[in-house]
Amino acid sequence: ETGVTQSPTHLIKTRGQQVTLRCSSQSGHNTVSWYQQALGQGPQFIFQYYREEENGRGNFPPRFSGLQFPNYSSELNVNALELDDSALYLCASSSQPRGSGNEQFFGPGTRLTVL
Amino acid sequence: GDSVTQMEGPVTLSEEAFLTINCTYTATGYPSLFWYVQYPGEGLQLLLKATKADDKGSNKGFEATYRKETTSFHLEKGSVQVSDSAVYFCARTNNNDMRFGAGTRLTVKP
């Protein structure tokens, strides 16, 4: 069984650029959630995708957008990068949406640095 | 405001000491509660969970009891090991809204 994978591992961008982060969910999982974890903080929920539709969103601006594909992999896109977007971006997959209390399996994260 | 508040760290203990990391939450309805652990250089791993009041989650010697009356989910372990050194996150999920605490860094010294 393959766990959750994310790419790239590290990324450096400059302010104003756009970035795409990728996540492959665990086999059999149809739900993907994205989180932003600033240094020394807990993860903050960005949004969730369930069966290719957005299924809940946290307090993030519209320049944070996402996609989920038929194979349930997912992308997180961030436009007009700001310095405060520097963080570890975590992807988590589960076999059901979070509301069921189901376990989320996390990937190792993508470390984004915005200069 | 924060939906999950956990004890500030860092916490430093000697091996075999007793561990408590406090966690309280705010939520409407009946949330599910979790403890996640993040070892150095790794992603978050689920440590234990409880989905209803008075449930006790347990794993690897760690325990936490869902206390609805005090809105708490404190993490405990009777005898910590050096390998328990990590950052511990309390989290709650309620409908489509999952919130994490800020994390508590635990260091266990031999």
Side-chain angles (χ1 to χ4, degrees), chain B residues 31 39 53 57 60-61 70 109:
Chain B
Y39 297 102
K60 299 181 182 180
T70 54
K109 297 189 172 181

Side-chain angles (χ1 to χ4, degrees), chain A residues 35 37 40-43 45 48 55 90 98-99 101 103-104 106-107, chain B residues 32 34 36 38 43-44 46 49 89 93 95-98 100-102:
Chain A
Y35 296 85
Q37 186 179 14
Q41 300 295 316
F45 174 64
Q48 179 187 82
N55 186 46
L90 296 167
R98 293 169 302 130
E103 178 178 354
Q104 295 195 34
F106 282 81
Chain B
S32 295
F34 305 83
Y36 281 86
Q38 189 172 33
L44 274 72
L46 179 67
K49 69 177 183 182
F89 293 93
T93 185
N95 297 317
N96 287 332
D97 183 10
M98 189 164 195
F100 285 81

Side-chain angles (χ1 to χ4, degrees), chain A residues 18-84:
Chain A
Q18 178 266 343
V19 69
T20 297
L21 309 182
R22 294 179 176 82
C23 171
S24 291
S25 59
Q26 185 162 312
S27 176
H29 287 183
N30 58 19
T31 303
V32 172
S33 302
W34 285 93
Y35 296 85
Q36 180 194 67
Q37 186 179 14
L39 198 61
Q41 300 295 316
Q44 300 292 315
F45 174 64
I46 303 174
F47 43 57
Q48 179 187 82
Y49 278 82
Y50 171 58
R51 294 185 176 178
E52 303 179 58
E53 297 286 334
E54 188 176 291
N55 186 46
R57 187 179 182 93
N59 189 28
F60 280 80
R63 58 189 186 84
F64 285 78
S65 63
L67 282 174
Q68 188 177 33
F69 300 98
N71 66 355
Y72 302 127
S73 65
S74 177
E75 286 183 355
L76 164 65
N77 299 289
V78 187
N79 293 322
L81 283 167
E82 301 176 0
L83 297 180
D84 285 348

